[in-house]
């Protein structure tokens, strides 16, 4: 089975990471709810797990649109009632996959947008710099939620951060998606696949020798790396085969990229126009 990747925003380090989420089943003492500007979702069943130094949080969609991304913040209150940040956790599911028809395989993480009245479970690991804070004193706030059209509720800065990552991934995908779909009917699959793979390699090399450009690209790099791996696999297949129709899985991977790109285009918001 292929690896399943997704975009996860870990607010403790404020970096974008690709990872798979796993959740343990455990319910102990409850942490506390904090205020929130989000109206289309709410926190439920917040529980602490001392042996893992974590807090499990259920997020319920109380609105009428599927939620594609969200983030939570952890904090404690000092003696003056002022907030002391303790990190947070977030997930953006816009670029996750639907299953391959008939085989129930996923190229990336399974698309798990939270439907109206549905819930999503996430675990977080609060850390309060310079403060000794027991887990059951930690307060949890729903910072923001986002929908499939790039709109959302809550912290505008956090949403802008998520939209920027979506736009970077979207723009890089749009540079190459047409050449991947053209492989389905390429008269010379071997030559077309080799050319595509070499151009992706050259693009990665160009990034390496221009570090300033690389620093500005953000999510473009992991997108390009995924496409490069797929182009290599198709090139290897084409060395002994003339069409993609005989390889159902490789053909589906191109379809998966098409579907996910369409979601990125819709979910990237209006702040940056897609490439032609």
């Amino acid at each position: 089975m292929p690896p399943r990747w997704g975009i996860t925003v870990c607010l403790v380090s404020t970096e974008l990471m690709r990872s798979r989420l796993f959740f343990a089943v455990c319910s102990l003492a409850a942490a506390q709810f904090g205020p929130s500007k989000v109206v289309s979702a709410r926190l439920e069943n917040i529980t602490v797990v001392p042996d893992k130094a974590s807090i499990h949080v259920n997020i319920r969609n109380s609105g009428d649109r599927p939620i594609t991304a969200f983030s939570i913040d952890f904090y404690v209150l000092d003696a003056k009632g002022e907030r002391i940040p303790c990190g947070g956790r977030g997930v953006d599911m816009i670029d996750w996959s639907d299953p391959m028809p008939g085989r129930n395989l996923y190229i990336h993480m399974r698309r798990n947008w939270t439907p109206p009245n549905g819930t999503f479970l996430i675990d977080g690991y609060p850390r309060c710099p310079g403060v000794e804070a027991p887990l059951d004193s930690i307060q949890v706030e729903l910072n923001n939620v986002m929908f499939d059209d790039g709109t959302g509720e809550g912290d505008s800065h956090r949403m802008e951060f998520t939209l920027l990552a979506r736009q970077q991934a979207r723009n890089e995908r749009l540079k190459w998606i047409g050449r991947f779909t053209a492989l389905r009917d390429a008269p010379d699959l071997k030559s077309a696949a080799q050319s595509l793979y070499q151009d992706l390699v050259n693009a990665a090399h160009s990034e390496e020798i221009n570090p300033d450009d690389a620093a500005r690209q953000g999510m473009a790099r992991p997108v390009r790396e995924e496409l490069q791996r797929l182009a290599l696999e198709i090139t290897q297949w084409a060395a002994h085969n003339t069409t993609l129709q005989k390889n159902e899985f490789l053909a589906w991977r191109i379809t998966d990229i098409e579907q996910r790109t369409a979601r990125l285009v819709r979910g990237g918001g209006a702040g940056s126009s897609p490439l032609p």
Side-chain angles (χ1 to χ4, degrees):
M1 181 178 295
R4 306 176 187 176
W5 300 102
I7 299 176
T8 302
V9 184
C10 182
L11 303 176
V12 176
S13 59
T14 62
E15 295 179 351
L16 286 170
M17 302 181 297
R18 292 175 297 167
S19 66
R20 184 177 178 182
L21 299 177
F22 294 89
F23 305 108
V25 178
C26 184
S27 177
L28 295 171
Q32 303 179 51
F33 293 92
S36 177
K37 298 178 181 179
V38 176
V39 298
S40 294
R42 63 179 185 269
L43 302 181
E44 295 183 342
N45 302 326
I46 299 178
T47 58
V48 301
V49 188
D51 61 331
K52 296 183 181 295
S54 68
I55 295 178
H56 287 184
V57 180
N58 269 299
I59 300 173
R60 181 172 296 278
N61 184 348
S62 55
D64 57 6
R65 290 189 288 172
I67 292 173
T68 62
F70 55 81
S71 65
I72 57 176
D73 288 331
F74 299 120
Y75 67 95
V76 293
L77 299 176
D78 64 15
K80 298 180 180 180
E82 296 180 353
R83 289 173 55 142
I84 300 175
C86 299
R89 188 77 186 271
V91 173
D92 185 1
M93 302 174 281
I94 195 71
D95 198 30
W96 294 5
S97 292
D98 285 330
M100 179 179 177
R103 296 181 63 178
N104 203 34
L105 294 175
Y106 295 91
I107 310 304
H108 279 224
M109 292 185 68
R110 176 177 61 86
R111 185 161 68 94
N112 192 26
W113 296 0
T114 308
N117 202 40
T119 61
F120 191 99
L121 174 65
I122 187 172
D123 57 345
Y125 301 87
R127 297 291 184 271
C128 308
V131 177
E132 292 291 336
L135 282 175
D136 58 7
S137 72
I138 301 293
Q139 299 205 36
V140 187
E141 177 181 8
L142 183 57
N143 179 280
N144 76 280
V145 299
M146 297 188 68
F147 310 109
D148 68 327
D149 61 354
T151 62
E153 299 171 355
D155 187 329
S156 60
H157 296 293
R158 198 72 55 77
M159 289 189 287
E160 288 171 3
F161 180 77
T162 302
L163 284 175
L164 175 60
R166 290 183 177 187
Q167 291 161 7
Q168 291 170 338
R170 174 199 67 193
N171 289 346
E172 187 66 22
R173 194 83 58 70
L174 287 173
K175 292 179 184 178
W176 307 98
I177 185 64
R179 294 183 63 181
F180 276 95
T181 58
L183 295 178
R184 292 178 175 134
D185 302 308
D188 186 344
L189 177 62
K190 181 178 179 180
S191 295
Q194 284 180 332
S195 176
L196 175 55
Y197 173 69
Q198 188 60 54
D199 286 346
L200 282 160
V201 170
N202 292 341
H205 179 66
S206 176
E207 177 190 281
E208 290 171 357
I209 63 177
N210 293 285
D212 291 339
D213 291 341
R216 289 191 294 267
Q217 291 187 44
M219 286 304 301
R221 180 174 183 178
V223 167
R224 191 184 307 116
E225 289 173 346
E226 176 198 359
L227 297 177
Q228 184 176 324
R229 290 191 296 269
L230 176 56
L232 176 59
E233 292 185 39
I234 295 175
T235 299
Q236 293 170 337
W237 165 264
H240 305 287
N241 299 273
T242 58
T243 68
L244 278 175
Q245 280 72 16
K246 294 182 179 179
N247 192 318
E248 182 183 11
F249 182 62
L250 284 179
W252 168 249
R253 290 179 66 181
I254 294 177
T255 299
D256 174 73
I257 289 175
E258 284 184 295
Q259 294 177 347
R260 289 162 49 209
T261 301
R263 293 178 196 130
L264 280 171
V265 169
R266 176 170 169 77
S272 174
S273 298
L275 297 174

